[in-house]
Amino acid sequence: MGARAGISHTGLLHYFPTKAHLLMAVLHHRDEVDRLDLDEDVAQGVSFIEAMIHLAERNALRRPMVEAFTVLAAAATTPDHPAHACFRIHYNDAIASATQSFRELKAAGTLRPEVDPEREGAQWIALMDGLQTQWLQSLADYPRAPLDMAAELRYRLTAMLAAPPTS
């Protein structure tokens, strides 16, 4: 593996003593790239929630990264896993960002009155993760088309949106 990166196996082990450490470095890089993409979408006037739907579209093009994230996220649920703290931070940040976006949509009158932004942030992140797992499973159902994660997220968001005012 190190040869592909131009580094010896010993050198690789110096920086990444375990497979989990290496996977975390890859996922940290992925998080940085995702954050830049999300920030760019938001800077162009897209809500964070819509930007996350764009993220789901990008994720559909990078199966290995989604697989690594899904496997490592499940393994990191135990407190003694080396990635446990990283995933706690990841989920806390993702839920906080989604919740804030739902608060903004609510304040703008965009969400249905019964939608609670304080609950919806965690549910949105859970939905995204669940859809990723289902998408990975659906890839084995060839020739049936795989699950469209972005379409499912759009469907859920549309169900939360307030009806436009009638004239």
Side-chain angles (χ1 to χ4, degrees):
M1 183 183 302
R4 288 179 51 188
I7 189 170
S8 70
H9 183 71
T10 304
L12 186 66
L13 290 175
H14 171 75
Y15 294 104
F16 309 106
T18 68
K19 181 180 176 181
H21 286 94
L22 177 59
L23 286 173
M24 279 310 303
V26 170
L27 291 176
H28 276 302
H29 175 71
R30 185 213 68 154
D31 280 351
E32 289 175 27
V33 169
D34 286 351
R35 176 55 60 193
L36 290 172
D37 288 341
L38 290 167
D39 289 348
E40 184 178 324
D41 280 348
V42 170
Q44 294 177 7
V46 173
S47 75
F48 182 79
I49 297 301
E50 280 287 339
M52 292 186 83
I53 294 172
H54 295 168
L55 174 62
E57 290 170 334
R58 288 189 298 277
N59 281 348
L61 302 174
R62 50 189 185 180
R63 176 184 179 164
M65 195 61 69
V66 173
E67 287 175 335
F69 177 88
T70 302
V71 168
L72 200 52
T77 58
T78 59
D80 61 335
H81 191 278
H84 182 76
C86 293
F87 272 92
R88 285 187 55 93
I89 292 167
H90 169 85
Y91 280 113
N92 287 339
D93 290 349
I95 290 168
S97 295
T99 300
Q100 181 58 35
S101 185
F102 281 116
R103 285 182 193 131
E104 291 166 5
L105 292 171
K106 184 76 160 195
T110 306
L111 292 180
R112 298 171 71 85
E114 67 273 16
V115 175
D116 179 0
E118 303 309 313
R119 298 181 79 181
E120 207 56 57
Q123 291 178 20
W124 185 261
I125 300 305
L127 176 62
M128 288 190 72
D129 280 5
L131 288 171
Q132 285 189 152
T133 300
Q134 290 179 36
W135 173 73
L136 288 168
Q137 290 291 331
S138 75
L139 294 175
D141 290 341
Y142 182 83
R144 197 180 111 221
L147 176 78
D148 186 337
M149 296 180 288
E152 296 302 322
L153 290 168
R154 279 192 187 91
Y155 175 82
R156 176 66 185 127
L157 179 59
T158 300
M160 290 188 282
L161 297 177
T166 56
S167 31

